[in-house]
Amino acid sequence: MHDPFVIALPDINNHAPANLETVFSIGNGHFGIRASDPLSHSATGGTIVNGFFETAPITYGESAYGYAKNHQTIINLPDLRAVTVTDEAGAAFTTQKLVSQELDLHTGLLTTEMILATLDGKRLHLQLTEAIGQTNQNVAALQYTFTPLSFSGKITVTKKLAFYQAAVTDDDPRKARAVQSLQIDDMAVDQGQAIQITTASTHLRVQMALSVPETTTLDLTQNQATEFFVGAEVGPVGNADGDYPTLVLPPDLGTVAEDGQQYWQQVWAQGTVDITGDKPLAQGIHYNIFQLNSSAGRDGHTNISAKGVSGVGYEGHYFWDTEMYMLPYFILTQPTIAKQLLAYRYHILPQAKERARTLGVTNGALFAWRTINGEEASAYYPAGTAQYHIDADIAYGIGQYYAATGDLDFITKMGFEMIVETARFWANFGSWFIKDGKKVFGFFDVTGPDEYTALVDNNYYTNRMAQHNLELVGQLIKAFQDAGQALPVSVSEKEQADFEIIADNIYLPYNQEHQINAQDDSFFDKPVWPFAETPKENYPLLLHYHPLMIYRHQVNKQADTLLADYLFFDDVPTDQLQREYDYYESVTTHDSSLSRAIFSALAARLGMGAKAYSYFMDTARMDLTDLQGNTADGLHLANLGGSWLSIVTGFAGLHYTADNLTITNHLPENWEKLAFKCQYQGRQLQVSMSHFGTEVTVLAGDPLDITIDGVQQKIAAQ
């Protein structure tokens, strides 16, 4: 049990069909296939295409100027796994037993075995082997192998591109709405079948094709295994009125499987993480890395939604999760994909500029809190648009990408403009005021990462991130000057000086009583949430209490001030950091899946090994154990990235700037060894640590100056 590179049914806590559909889903960044029971015609099964969405007007009881106008909802397309199987008399076979299901993380192959039966006792064994293209991201291959058990005769296999959607009646705001405004057209093809799905409002289309006709007869009279191969094509997202490429179906399972295997070999060669001494956690982190790579948009026009391509939860929207929890993994292991994720933000910069104007900010850009097409889709602005920190989050991601790669070409073409426009937003959005007799700069009526504390003044995280955003402008201007290049976006000397003055004077709230950074100006004036009186079944709080009740208490959904401490570790002395950790941990519910990874990484840095390990255990296998109770809606992608952060930046203490890379050994007691690969400034590195020391090897690239466990070293290439 717990093969580090194979996920099987015994590894999963919750065997409810919708949960298994999510956990065993496979994808390639363009589309994903949920692992439905192929004979059940599941309403929650289906094919999810990254960036294929429909809009519908948001209905407000009382609307106001500047509210988000339209829902944006990703569409669950026909289930590529679904089949109907009948005998010669028309009796239907249904699933009698799910025998096994295995996802091979080395190859990307998903294998499902089940027993099928009719009401009168005829039985078949079905093995479904499934692969999805990684180089050619438009194809999938499914091979059904039928073996008679107590049956001899012919069967009819019906395979059709059909919708089995059900209306969503749940009030949970994390679930997706049903989409009813689709036009579905059959297409004339020489082989098999094809359909075109067109959206009424967004005027987008996707074509899907299968290599087989709707019905096929198979002869099972010889009592032998009989294969039924289906090649599938899921075309790109295109404009309804534009040209569309010709669909090309894969010839066989082997072609698609080999493509996938080569891709995964590269992924593990560039960014594997190996834990010796804890097989369940080793399996968990491998699964998380696998699904991160399966979900990331690679074309510069799509991103990573909150559920990736594993489900339609959160309506397929992109959030700040990408830059803060998932991008770090790609920066240090797959920098080409990291660049494409940031390129998506550049392509929606015009919408961000327009959004800033709507908010009354005359210069700069404000990126949408939740979106697919760049327009704001959050109907609840206190926990949506008010999270202005997304601007600084994106800027932080760009800065980290540049520090790790030195890719000045990207900064020239895309990155610098985003940094400047977000800095301009902060300079125009904020205000000067007097605090303790000193003139300072701050931001009012904002919401930080903690969505249980909304519309406050001077959220510490927001202010610190805005400060960093403003400082980045000067750092990148110097990089252009050092390279002898002109600025790609004009920034006057006065504007640069203004950015520096504002950054130097940004107000960072501090609580004298507790001797810690204050989450915001009013946080410590509020009563602490009555945790002792809150029953376990009332978590998450957002589903059981009015927002205003939550807002008037000290209670955190997730790390907020501590997230700033995590990102800017040198800001706070260790004794103060310990006080902050202790206090904010006491008022945090971890109702957000984004929370535990940060608490784990900080605990590791603070030397609290047992606590760091406990939080990490929750992050590493969150979806395999269904810890949050809603994996059926899709994987928690930010947590998948967070588990990698817990290991690499927590237990391995990795921290970098453009000038230095630091590794500090915080290996958990019950691990024998930790080894991982990463890339830094054109070098491929192997980091290995045990309780006896830390070793860093330069596998490729130039010699490296690095700080290992507090000692500055120079490591030559292998």
Side-chain angles (χ1 to χ4, degrees):
M1 190 177 291
H2 297 309
D3 183 318
F5 282 94
V6 175
I7 304 298
L9 285 174
D11 302 315
I12 314 303
N13 282 17
N14 180 357
H15 284 201
N19 190 75
L20 294 180
E21 288 175 7
T22 294
V23 172
F24 287 101
S25 63
I26 60 174
N28 60 15
H30 168 50
F31 74 99
I33 307 170
R34 285 175 61 82
S36 62
D37 175 348
L39 283 90
S40 73
H41 297 172
S42 165
T44 55
T47 304
I48 297 158
V49 175
N50 195 357
F52 186 54
F53 71 103
E54 178 63 310
T55 60
I58 298 174
T59 302
Y60 295 98
E62 296 182 24
S63 187
Y65 176 81
Y67 279 18
K69 296 179 179 179
N70 293 304
H71 294 288
Q72 299 169 30
T73 304
I74 200 167
I75 301 164
N76 196 10
L77 299 179
D79 186 354
L80 294 178
R81 290 168 59 93
V83 293
T84 299
V85 181
T86 56
D87 66 11
E88 293 173 274
F93 286 87
T94 58
T95 302
Q96 185 181 67
K97 179 182 179 181
L98 176 60
V99 177
S100 68
Q101 196 153 29
E102 290 190 352
L103 176 58
D104 189 324
L105 306 180
H106 271 311
T107 65
L109 281 177
L110 174 63
T111 304
T112 306
E113 294 189 45
M114 54 186 62
I115 304 298
L116 313 184
T118 61
L119 290 176
D120 59 359
K122 298 170 184 173
R123 297 168 70 241
L124 300 173
H125 177 274
L126 169 61
Q127 176 176 298
L128 171 56
T129 305
E130 180 182 337
I132 191 167
Q134 297 294 341
T135 303
N136 180 354
Q137 292 177 266
N138 297 122
V139 300
L142 303 97
Q143 186 153 289
Y144 302 78
T145 303
F146 296 94
T147 304
L149 297 177
S150 57
F151 172 76
S152 179
K154 295 180 179 180
I155 61 171
T156 298
V157 180
T158 302
K159 182 79 177 172
K160 186 176 181 180
L161 290 166
F163 283 82
Y164 302 105
Q165 288 188 341
V168 177
T169 57
D170 198 307
D171 290 332
D172 188 337
R174 299 168 295 183
K175 293 183 180 290
R177 303 174 319 108
V179 176
Q180 307 294 341
S181 55
L182 301 177
Q183 178 179 326
I184 302 157
D185 298 305
D186 291 325
M187 300 173 60
V189 290
D190 295 332
Q191 174 192 1
Q193 55 184 293
I195 62 172
Q196 177 170 281
I197 305 102
T198 307
T199 58
S201 297
T202 56
H203 304 292
L204 299 174
R205 63 171 167 166
V206 162
Q207 293 180 5
M208 302 177 70
L210 299 177
S211 62
V212 296
E214 289 190 10
T215 59
T216 302
T217 300
L218 302 178
D219 189 348
L220 303 185
T221 57
Q222 301 301 313
N223 200 33
Q224 295 178 345
T226 300
E227 294 179 349
F228 174 61
F229 169 72
V230 179
E233 175 91 3
V234 179
V237 179
N239 293 323
D241 301 324
D243 294 333
Y244 202 88
T246 301
L247 302 185
V248 180
L249 292 160
D252 51 50
L253 174 66
T255 301
V256 181
E258 182 179 0
D259 173 51
Q261 183 170 357
Q262 290 176 354
Y263 174 81
W264 290 112
Q265 284 177 347
Q266 178 201 27
V267 167
W268 298 119
Q270 293 182 195
T272 190
V273 175
D274 294 313
I275 298 170
T276 304
D278 197 323
K279 288 184 178 180
L281 291 186
Q283 181 193 61
I285 189 62
H286 292 154
Y287 175 78
N288 294 352
I289 291 172
F290 178 90
Q291 292 292 6
L292 274 176
N293 282 276
S294 299
S295 298
R298 307 173 197 170
D299 59 2
H301 294 276
T302 54
N303 206 266
I304 311 176
S305 74
K307 301 298 183 181
V309 289
S310 70
V312 296
Y314 285 106
E315 303 197 271
H317 294 167
Y318 312 133
F319 292 80
W320 72 308
D321 306 18
T322 297
E323 283 75 20
M324 303 315 296
Y325 290 87
M326 295 178 274
L327 185 68
Y329 161 79
F330 290 104
I331 288 174
L332 292 177
T333 64
Q334 305 276 348
T336 300
I337 294 178
K339 179 163 65 174
Q340 295 296 77
L341 294 171
L342 291 171
Y344 160 79
R345 295 295 189 183
Y346 181 76
H347 290 130
I348 62 169
L349 185 58
Q351 294 94 315
K353 292 179 180 179
E354 183 178 348
R355 186 62 177 161
R357 306 300 170 270
T358 300
L359 271 290
V361 178
T362 57
N363 199 2
L366 175 62
F367 285 93
W369 174 245
R370 57 186 297 175
T371 189
I372 298 175
N373 66 356
E375 298 174 2
E376 182 61 78
S378 175
Y380 186 63
Y381 72 84
T385 299
Q387 296 203 55
Y388 303 100
H389 64 80
I390 190 170
D391 262 14
D393 302 331
I394 292 168
Y396 182 88
I398 295 168
Q400 290 296 100
Y401 172 78
Y402 178 65
T405 65
D407 185 357
L408 192 59
D409 180 67
F410 170 78
I411 298 298
T412 302
K413 294 177 179 177
M414 298 184 184
F416 187 66
E417 184 176 356
M418 288 190 280
I419 296 290
V420 170
E421 291 296 340
T422 49
R424 285 171 174 163
F425 175 84
W426 294 117
N428 286 271
F429 170 67
S431 302
W432 291 98
F433 64 102
I434 302 298
K435 183 70 176 180
D436 298 328
K438 180 183 177 183
K439 188 177 181 181
V440 293
F441 198 87
F443 307 99
F444 300 98
D445 289 315
V446 306
T447 300
D450 168 33
E451 295 177 355
Y452 285 173
T453 310
L455 298 178
V456 297
D457 296 340
N458 295 306
N459 169 257
Y460 181 92
Y461 175 88
T462 300
N463 288 22
R464 182 63 182 91
M465 290 293 284
Q467 182 182 54
H468 177 261
N469 193 162
L470 291 157
E471 292 169 343
L472 273 175
V473 177
Q475 294 171 16
L476 292 178
I477 287 176
K478 184 178 185 303
F480 284 117
Q481 291 171 342
D482 291 344
Q485 292 188 25
L487 298 184
V489 174
S490 178
V491 178
S492 69
E493 291 184 4
K494 181 183 183 306
E495 185 175 35
Q496 183 182 353
D498 288 344
F499 288 162
E500 292 173 357
I501 292 170
I502 292 171
D504 289 343
N505 290 279
I506 280 184
Y507 171 62
L508 299 174
Y510 184 82
N511 181 269
Q512 291 291 345
E513 178 185 355
H514 296 284
Q515 297 289 290
I516 61 176
N517 289 323
Q519 184 164 315
D520 57 70
D521 284 352
S522 61
F523 189 80
F524 287 97
D525 296 332
K526 301 172 183 177
V528 174
W529 180 268
F531 292 102
E533 302 165 18
T534 305
K536 182 179 179 181
E537 59 269 21
N538 280 14
Y539 294 92
L541 300 182
L542 64 93
L543 297 183
H544 299 91
Y545 300 94
H546 193 285
L548 290 176
M549 179 178 178
I550 297 174
Y551 295 165
R552 66 175 181 261
H553 287 88
Q554 285 187 51
V555 57
N556 284 2
K557 184 182 180 185
Q558 63 203 73
D560 193 297
T561 304
L562 289 181
L563 180 56
D565 292 342
Y566 164 80
L567 297 174
F568 305 105
F569 192 67
D570 294 332
D571 278 8
V572 180
T574 301
D575 57 343
Q576 179 183 330
L577 180 60
Q578 185 68 64
R579 292 194 298 272
E580 293 191 10
Y581 189 99
D582 293 342
Y583 189 89
Y584 287 114
E585 183 186 34
S586 72
V587 295
T588 301
T589 65
H590 307 293
D591 284 349
S592 168
S593 63
L594 279 62
S595 186
R596 292 177 176 87
I598 302 306
F599 275 85
S600 173
L602 277 176
R605 292 179 182 178
L606 285 167
M608 297 186 290
K611 182 165 289 190
Y613 191 73
S614 176
Y615 278 123
F616 173 70
M617 287 178 65
D618 289 340
T619 72
R621 297 181 62 85
M622 178 176 286
D623 287 307
L624 297 178
T625 62
D626 194 20
L627 180 68
Q628 299 291 106
N630 62 348
T631 294
D633 299 328
L635 298 169
H636 297 81
L637 263 294
N639 175 75
L640 304 188
S643 65
W644 183 88
L645 290 175
S646 295
I647 293 175
V648 174
T649 69
F651 297 130
L654 184 148
H655 174 73
Y656 69 90
T657 65
D659 302 317
N660 188 51
L661 176 66
T662 299
I663 302 288
T664 305
N665 190 330
H666 302 295
L667 192 69
E669 288 185 6
N670 48 340
W671 291 1
E672 298 172 19
K673 182 180 178 181
L674 168 65
F676 64 91
K677 292 180 180 178
C678 64
Q679 297 184 42
Y680 175 70
Q681 295 186 352
R683 303 170 180 88
Q684 177 76 25
L685 307 179
Q686 168 85 36
V687 179
S688 300
M689 54 181 55
S690 68
H691 295 291
F692 303 102
T694 305
E695 180 180 357
V696 178
T697 304
V698 179
L699 300 176
D702 296 332
L704 174 67
D705 291 316
I706 184 173
T707 302
I708 302 176
D709 296 332
V711 179
Q712 184 72 27
Q713 302 182 34
K714 189 177 188 69
I715 301 175
Q718 190 178 55

